[in-house]
Amino acid sequence: MSITINTDLGLAMTGGGARAAYQVGVLRYICNNFDDFHPPILTGVSAGAVNAAHLAAYQGSFHEAVNQLAELWLELTTDQVFRTDSGYFFANFFRWGLSFILGGSNMGPRKRSLLDSDPLRIFLEKKLASKAKERIHGIQENIQHGQLQVLGITSTNYGTGKAITWVQGNVEEHWQRPRRHSEPAEITVDHIMASAALPLVFPAVKLDDGWHGDGGIRSIAPLSPIMHLGAKKILAISTRFRGGEITPDESVIGEYAPVAQIIGILLDSIFLDLLDYDAANMSRINMLYEEVSEETKEELKKVNLLILRPSEDLGKLASEYEIRLPQPFRYFTRGFGTRDTKSPDSLSLLMFQPDYLNRLIELGEKDAQLNAQKIEEFLTQESYS
């Protein structure tokens, strides 16, 4: 189906670690069924930053970019994201344990994270840039040729607690808000690594103004960056299953809550719940927009928003593939109780197994097909002025 794309169409991709493969499936269905789909405004947070950067940098049609992104995800294995060898695991956890015993003494090498994400850095450098601090090839070229308007990648400054959106491209003005602001930048692999650095799990990354980690930590208004960048129609792809609203009394644990379940709930509340909260606020603003004065309207933004999300619990799906993880890492995750919950969300973040990732891409395509009418209505309706 042919559609007319406005220059104010934005694509927002949230975090979720390995679950971000789901976003690729959604996009692949849209590209296969809606000709000329090519959002010029892109934002990404955490693993969504990897998707956004690839789409922004690919020099070709958006359809081709999505197909290439799917191939990239299906190439991934756990050992291409973080070290999985038994020697590293035992040595690293020995150092952590020794640090606790010694009361945080500076003896020995500094402990920065539970897992070593250098393999992911090497993978992204191979796919996007020759070196971590070099600009990602293709982004500026696509901006100059009109293929891309702007890209925004969000990370969290651990020193100040602020969410920083690194912006490359055309933006009317940068913003400064409590606990969040934007900075102009030429996006590099370091920006992507910082945005995707799950707290404690992956090491922080040194950027211009300090050490940065996952962009979802202080992203209190996850849709705000893409609105600041000029989007009036926003397609947001979440990796959060909302089945709890349908069967709120169904427990996914047996007796006492395992650590893995508690961590999963905390990560969901940090990275994914705020999208729903932000969307609810946006809906209320849209409803009130016509009731306020013209002066007040100038301070508000009315936005068309469509959120697509999984129809199945991605944590439960992850448990089906847990047995195929590398043995040292599987031993580590089981120690946190991933087998004691039916929906190990914390495990799904790190389940970089090709068969699981392929399952997520297929689910994304299926869910987009189920929402085809909503997608068509969204893409063909006029943006709010």
Side-chain angles (χ1 to χ4, degrees):
M1 175 178 294
S2 179
I3 56 175
T4 301
I5 297 299
N6 297 325
T7 58
D8 52 18
L9 173 64
L11 173 62
M13 287 172 283
T14 62
R19 292 186 290 190
Y22 173 84
Q23 298 169 345
V24 183
V26 172
L27 292 175
R28 191 157 74 175
Y29 175 85
I30 294 176
C31 288
N32 285 336
N33 292 273
F34 298 91
D35 297 338
D36 303 321
F37 175 73
H38 194 144
I41 304 172
L42 303 175
T43 61
V45 178
S46 194
V50 176
N51 291 342
H54 172 88
L55 295 174
Y58 187 84
Q59 294 182 285
S61 72
F62 196 80
H63 192 171
E64 293 170 342
V66 170
N67 286 334
Q68 288 292 320
L69 183 59
E71 292 184 14
L72 183 151
W73 274 95
L74 294 176
E75 281 183 41
L76 273 179
T77 55
T78 308
D79 59 1
Q80 288 179 303
V81 179
F82 51 85
R83 288 185 60 181
T84 60
D85 55 286
S86 57
Y88 165 77
F89 268 91
F90 288 125
N92 193 45
F93 284 99
F94 174 78
R95 287 194 294 267
W96 275 90
L98 186 62
S99 177
F100 282 119
I101 293 173
L102 297 176
S105 169
N106 290 327
M107 295 174 58
R110 184 179 295 274
K111 287 69 61 185
R112 291 188 171 181
S113 61
L114 292 173
L115 300 177
D116 180 356
S117 60
D118 274 351
L120 177 60
R121 178 184 293 276
I122 294 170
F123 183 83
L124 292 179
E125 288 175 2
K126 178 181 176 181
K127 298 297 180 180
L128 298 175
S130 58
K131 294 182 180 179
K133 296 187 182 299
E134 287 188 359
R135 69 184 180 91
I136 295 177
H137 308 305
I139 296 177
Q140 192 59 38
E141 290 79 359
N142 284 335
I143 292 171
Q144 291 172 349
H145 296 150
Q147 291 289 100
L148 174 70
Q149 182 173 320
V150 64
L151 168 67
I153 300 297
T154 301
S155 64
T156 300
N157 185 316
Y158 281 151
T160 65
K162 288 187 175 182
I164 314 298
T165 299
W166 305 94
V167 177
Q168 183 170 353
N170 305 314
V171 57
E172 289 187 4
E173 61 179 356
H174 287 272
W175 63 93
Q176 179 80 38
R177 299 288 187 275
R179 294 298 180 185
R180 54 188 173 92
H181 69 266
S182 64
E183 294 283 352
E186 284 197 331
I187 302 298
T188 67
V189 170
D190 272 352
H191 292 99
I192 310 304
M193 289 294 297
S195 183
L198 290 168
L200 298 180
V201 178
F202 293 152
V205 177
K206 185 74 181 320
L207 297 178
D208 296 341
D209 61 343
W211 290 95
H212 285 246
D214 198 295
I217 299 174
R218 296 306 300 268
S219 185
I220 57 175
L223 294 175
S224 175
I226 201 164
M227 292 176 63
H228 281 298
L229 295 178
K232 294 182 179 178
K233 292 175 65 172
I234 301 173
L235 172 62
I237 308 177
S238 174
T239 60
R240 174 72 186 275
F241 169 66
R242 291 179 66 183
E245 296 182 356
I246 302 173
T247 57
D249 297 325
E250 180 185 355
S251 177
V252 296
I253 61 175
E255 297 180 358
Y256 190 78
V259 173
Q261 178 66 15
I262 297 171
I263 292 174
I265 292 174
L266 288 173
L267 291 175
D268 280 349
S269 66
I270 292 172
F271 302 124
L272 301 175
D273 290 350
L274 288 174
L275 176 63
D276 297 322
Y277 177 78
D278 205 16
N281 282 341
M282 191 175 295
S283 177
R284 285 191 287 268
I285 290 174
N286 285 346
M287 289 188 293
L288 293 172
Y289 189 81
E290 301 303 330
E291 307 298 325
V292 300
S293 66
E294 293 299 322
E295 181 179 352
T296 303
K297 285 182 180 180
E298 293 180 1
E299 300 177 2
L300 300 176
K301 289 186 178 180
K302 191 175 183 182
V303 177
N304 294 336
L305 172 66
L306 175 63
I307 298 180
L308 299 176
R309 64 179 71 252
S311 61
E312 298 182 36
D313 187 332
L314 303 190
K316 288 183 178 180
L317 287 182
S319 64
E320 298 177 18
Y321 298 89
E322 184 263 359
I323 191 62
R324 302 174 193 177
L325 286 169
Q327 186 176 14
F329 181 62
R330 187 170 72 245
Y331 182 82
F332 160 68
T333 59
R334 288 181 178 180
F336 283 94
T338 54
R339 302 189 76 185
D340 298 325
T341 171
K342 298 177 184 176
S343 179
D345 279 352
S346 55
L347 179 63
S348 69
L349 295 172
L350 301 172
M351 181 63 73
F352 291 96
Q353 286 292 109
D355 43 8
Y356 176 66
L357 299 176
N358 186 61
R359 178 84 173 270
L360 295 189
I361 291 173
E362 291 177 350
L363 178 62
E365 289 188 282
K366 185 190 79 170
D367 288 347
Q369 183 177 13
L370 292 174
N371 288 280
Q373 185 174 350
K374 288 183 179 180
I375 295 172
E376 179 183 349
E377 292 173 355
F378 170 78
L379 293 177
T380 54
Q381 70 183 165
E382 293 293 328
S383 301
Y384 293 124
S385 58

